[in-house]
Structures are given as C-alpha cells and as structure tokens.
Amino acid sequence: MVVTLIVFLILAGVSIAMLTGENGVISHAQNAKNNSAKTEFEEKVKLAVTASRINEDGTRIDLGKLDSELKNNAKIPAENIDKSGENEGLPWIVTEKDYMYLITEDGKVVEIKGIVLDKSQLRLLKNESKTLKVIKSKDVNGDVIWSTENAAVATVDSNGNVTAVGNVGDTTKIVTRVGTDYSTTCDVTIIDNWIEVTPEEIAENPDKYYGQEVKNYIASGATYRIFFVDTENKYGDGKNTVYLKADWKANDVDLNNYASYTAKSKIKEMNPEWANNRGTSSWNINEKAAAWLCTPETGESENLPWSTYYDGTKANYVIGGPSVEMYCDSYNSVEHSGVTNYTLGVQYRATNTSGYIYTINGSTSPISNSEYWTGIDTLDYKNYGSMYCGRDGQKGGAWYWWLASPSSGGSDHVCFVSGSNSLFHNSYYSDARGISPLVSLKSSFKIKIER
C-alpha cells in the first residue's frame, strides 16, 4: 500500500527527494509522531508528580505515591525509574525510549537534553557544602569540567562539591561543561541561619516556638523571645498579634514616682478581667503603678525605662512587661517538662485593694496557703529560654520582674515574678524590681528565628 501511495504521489509530481529527504513528507510525519509521543510521556510524568503532592501549597511530595503513580498510572516500568537521589529521594530520572526527564527536588519535570544538574539552585549557609550531580542524555560523552564564576562566594571541586565561603546574601553561579557543546549552571546564594515563621505557625505549635529567640528584633541589644500569639484579639491589638518579651536585665525599676499616674487606656486592654469588674471609684496606688507599667512607647518618648526597646519599623508599641493575664494565657498554652506542670490562673478580687489573686489548677491557695503568692516552684524556670522565670535554666538568683497588673495583696502592691523561688508574688510599688518589656509586633513584620 505504501508503494502504491508513493506511485500516486510521483504521478502527481512529487519527487522521491520530497518524500524521503531530511525535510521530506515522511520525515515530517515521523518527527510529528515522535514529538507527540514525547509530549505524551512528559504529561504522564507531570500528572504523576501533581497527584503526589500532599500539602495545600503543593511543596511536599509523597515519594511512595509518586512511585505508585509512575508505575501504575503512567505505566513506566520500574527499571526506567532511576532513584539515584540521596536515600532514594528526589531527584529521580525517568526514561522511555530516547526520552529522559528529571523530577527535581521541588517537583519540577525537566527534559534531559545534553546535560542538566540535579539542582538548579543551592541555598547554603556559610561554610556549608553540597554536591551537585550531572545527568547526561544518552548521546553525551566526555569528562565533566566544573568552575565557579566567583570563588570568593563559592568554590567547587572536580567532583561537584560546592562550598559557600562568602557572606550572607552573596550569589554566584557554578558552571558545568562537557566538551565544547554542552554546559549548564547552578545559582548559589549564601543564606543566614534563620527562618521566617508566621503567627499562624506559632499559634499552631506554641511548644515549638514559644521562648525562641527572635533574631531580627534587636532594639537596645536585648534578647527577645516569642511570648504569646493573641488568636482571639483578647488584648486589643488585632487577631494573631505576636508579642515578644525581652529577657530580664536588672532590678532597677521602682514605681515610687508613678503612684499618681492617670493614663488608663492600655491597662484596661492588658488586664481585661480587672477592667470588666472594676468600678468607678478612685484608683489605688497599685492600679496607678500598673497603669504606668502599661504605658505604651510608640516613638513619642515619655522617658520610659523601656523606650530603647521600641523599634517603630517593627513594633506597634512596647510596655514595661506582660500583664498577669497574658502571662497565664501564654504559660498554659505549652507543656512544662521537668517541672510541675500546674495550670496557672488569676481572679479579680473586689475589695478595697482591687486587683488580682492567684489560682493553681483552678483553686486559690492550694500550695502557699495564700491567695497573694503561688508557692515555691510553681513556675517553670527550665524551659522556653527561662522566659517565664529564672535565668539560663536556673532559679535562685535575685531575678525579679514586674507584671503589669495590680495585686489584691495590698493597695500599694503590684504583681511580679520571683526568680529566686520560682513563683508568682506581689510587692510594694516602692521596691526595685526588673522589667521584661513586652513588644506588640506589627502584622507586617516577618519574624525570623534560628533554623
């Protein structure tokens, strides 16, 4: 039949060269068939990868499912799936006839034509090394030559081992050649040892993130830790506001000069139970002193001890410390391994000395026989960077810091944390205690912690 067709075409004036030459009709037909088969194979591989993505943003791939999809749905034989990545992880190479495709670590499907690298980019910490692997198509032979565009940023040896030697933010390219016809590159960026975390990620796993040092909030040179995520807008700064707490530095703040303080807005937001139950009678000294601790630094300095802790590009405001309600909300959100895992609480006490009393596991005075302190070793001083109490995993020092809440222990008493005995207590406003400023972060600020 083919002969008959050729005869008809010749009779019609079509030459043999037009039929069988390099650009002939038959060659074009064969190329179209090959291209169609290659495209079909590529699509099968891409569909297998898509079906294997297991999280919402599609960044994770279930390798077991990918293997099953390639074999069962794409009908690719096991011997055509090269799992030569580390521990059989990606990248994988899949082949069919003369077609070769690479499934990269991030799930891209790339045709292997000439040479490709198993990674198109590397993000390395300074002094970190990773090895690049060259994959050749079947028609490529010859030795692999490696080079770097900037050896002051990253070096590469004859085996493709790349080492970052520059500084954070530096970039360069690693160049790979085989002969004079084939070359490809890999982009290298030197990164810091930090990762970004979102309020949602923190709130979902507070045991992992609370107490972590925030690396990119550094005002006054203090150490800041993730203290609380307000998922309900309980404290008035917006849903999912993240609060940082600075570590204690010194017992150098007394409230003597602030017993007549009259600014009253932020104390009500920081102490909602007190605000909801407090009547309209004149405030006691303890309430005025707590109100001063709740005075927000917003860039219009009132010569506050915590003014230097304010970075206006990242923070809504800074106050002198967390309220006792926020402390309990944070504390009760996480486990406290290695110490007694009490549930802490506070209640408003409507007396002449309006303020808070303490509870343990929902009851008042179960340990200390006092509603005004919680008893020795009721706070966690070991975990979460010792941000709840103590220092460097220890107690016993004179590490005291004010909480921005009035105590019902006396009309001149304010709540505070005792690092010496690991407990909640209250103190005369005239006593010198430390501050651990509380930072309310802007929603636009990207929190970075150590990787």
Side-chain angles (χ1 to χ4, degrees):
M1 183 173 179
V2 172
V3 173
T4 303
L5 177 60
I6 292 173
V7 170
F8 279 128
L9 288 171
I10 291 172
L11 291 174
V14 179
S15 70
I16 294 293
M18 291 178 64
L19 288 173
T20 61
E22 184 176 340
N23 296 311
V25 174
I26 295 176
S27 294
H28 278 299
Q30 186 61 49
N31 288 338
K33 180 180 178 181
N34 290 339
N35 288 336
S36 176
K38 186 179 79 168
T39 301
E40 181 181 350
F41 177 63
E42 181 179 339
E43 287 303 313
K44 287 193 300 182
V45 176
K46 288 181 176 178
L47 286 172
V49 171
T50 299
S52 305
R53 296 187 185 275
I54 58 176
N55 60 329
E56 289 184 3
D57 60 5
T59 56
R60 291 178 56 200
I61 295 173
D62 184 323
L63 296 183
K65 185 170 178 58
L66 176 59
D67 182 72
S68 175
E69 289 287 334
L70 291 172
K71 292 175 180 176
N72 298 328
N73 290 334
K75 305 300 182 185
I76 299 173
E79 60 268 22
N80 288 7
I81 304 171
D82 179 1
K83 301 177 183 178
S84 56
E86 186 176 351
N87 297 322
E88 294 194 346
L90 297 176
W92 289 357
I93 301 169
V94 290
T95 59
E96 183 173 275
K97 298 179 180 178
D98 292 329
Y99 319 133
M100 297 177 64
Y101 283 86
L102 180 75
I103 304 175
T104 66
E105 290 179 338
D106 56 358
K108 293 179 181 178
V109 178
V110 180
E111 183 181 5
I112 300 172
K113 197 171 184 179
I115 63 171
V116 299
L117 293 171
D118 63 337
K119 301 176 184 68
S120 61
Q121 63 175 356
L122 286 176
R123 294 171 59 81
L124 302 175
L125 303 174
K126 185 168 183 174
N127 299 320
E128 183 182 11
S129 297
K130 285 189 178 178
T131 301
L132 292 173
K133 179 181 178 182
V134 177
I135 298 104
K136 305 175 183 178
S137 57
K138 295 178 180 179
D139 56 341
V140 175
N141 295 297
D143 295 332
V144 177
I145 306 299
W146 298 90
S147 63
T148 176
E149 289 188 350
N150 190 344
V153 176
T155 62
V156 61
D157 66 15
S158 59
N159 296 312
N161 299 312
V162 180
T163 302
V165 295
N167 297 312
V168 173
D170 289 349
T171 62
T172 189
K173 290 181 183 292
I174 299 300
V175 181
T176 311
R177 302 182 187 279
V178 175
T180 58
D181 295 329
Y182 304 104
S183 68
T184 189
T185 62
C186 173
D187 294 322
V188 178
T189 303
I190 302 180
I191 61 173
D192 57 38
N193 194 28
W194 302 346
I195 57 171
E196 287 185 3
V197 289
T198 66
E200 292 77 13
E201 288 173 319
I202 298 168
E204 185 177 343
N205 196 350
D207 290 280
K208 177 178 179 180
Y209 293 113
Y210 279 18
Q212 290 284 340
E213 182 179 342
V214 175
K215 295 296 186 179
N216 57 334
Y217 195 98
I218 56 174
S220 84
T223 298
Y224 298 86
R225 303 183 189 279
I226 298 172
F227 186 70
F228 183 63
V229 181
D230 186 1
T231 59
E232 301 174 354
N233 193 25
K234 179 178 178 179
Y235 298 99
D237 294 323
K239 186 177 179 181
N240 286 337
T241 296
V242 179
Y243 295 89
L244 311 181
K245 189 185 77 65
D247 283 359
W248 173 94
K249 281 188 175 181
N251 294 331
D252 56 1
V253 176
D254 66 57
L255 312 178
N256 266 317
N257 297 325
Y258 310 103
S260 60
Y261 197 74
T262 56
K264 300 176 181 179
S265 59
K266 186 54 67 175
I267 186 177
K268 293 180 179 179
E269 292 178 353
M270 284 290 117
N271 296 274
E273 184 173 343
W274 171 86
N276 290 335
N277 290 282
R278 181 64 164 85
T280 58
S281 59
S282 298
W283 284 23
N284 296 315
I285 294 173
N286 61 344
E287 295 166 308
K288 293 177 181 179
W292 178 76
L293 285 167
C294 288
T295 303
E297 172 57 71
T298 58
E300 299 176 1
S301 176
E302 297 187 34
N303 197 29
L304 297 165
W306 46 90
S307 293
T308 58
Y309 294 78
Y310 175 70
D311 180 343
T313 65
K314 301 168 184 176
N316 297 312
Y317 62 83
V318 180
I319 61 175
S323 67
V324 69
E325 283 196 57
M326 184 184 286
Y327 181 109
C328 291
D329 286 341
S330 172
Y331 192 94
N332 296 332
S333 298
V334 293
E335 296 293 327
H336 299 280
S337 60
V339 296
T340 303
N341 197 17
Y342 292 118
T343 298
L344 305 177
V346 288
Q347 296 176 2
Y348 174 74
R349 171 62 59 84
T351 65
N352 291 333
T353 57
S354 300
Y356 289 99
I357 59 174
Y358 303 117
T359 66
I360 299 290
N361 296 335
S363 301
T364 58
S365 321
I367 297 173
S368 64
N369 296 317
S370 170
E371 298 170 328
Y372 309 119
W373 62 292
T374 54
I376 294 174
D377 291 341
T378 48
L379 302 185
D380 182 355
Y381 59 88
K382 294 182 179 180
N383 303 297
Y384 307 102
S386 293
M387 74 171 181
Y388 293 114
C389 184
R391 232 185 152 190
D392 301 323
Q394 302 293 321
K395 64 170 184 172
W399 305 317
Y400 307 124
W401 45 277
W402 294 111
L403 291 165
S405 302
S407 169
S408 191
S411 61
D412 51 4
H413 282 219
V414 178
C415 298
F416 82 99
V417 170
S418 168
S420 62
N421 292 307
S422 185
L423 52 82
F424 274 158
H425 214 313
N426 63 90
S427 183
Y428 289 104
Y429 70 93
S430 57
D431 289 341
R433 305 299 184 193
I435 59 169
S436 290
L438 183 79
V439 180
S440 169
L441 290 179
K442 292 181 177 180
S443 59
S444 58
F445 175 56
K446 306 300 183 184
I447 301 164
K448 291 185 178 182
I449 63 173
E450 191 167 349
R451 187 178 303 272

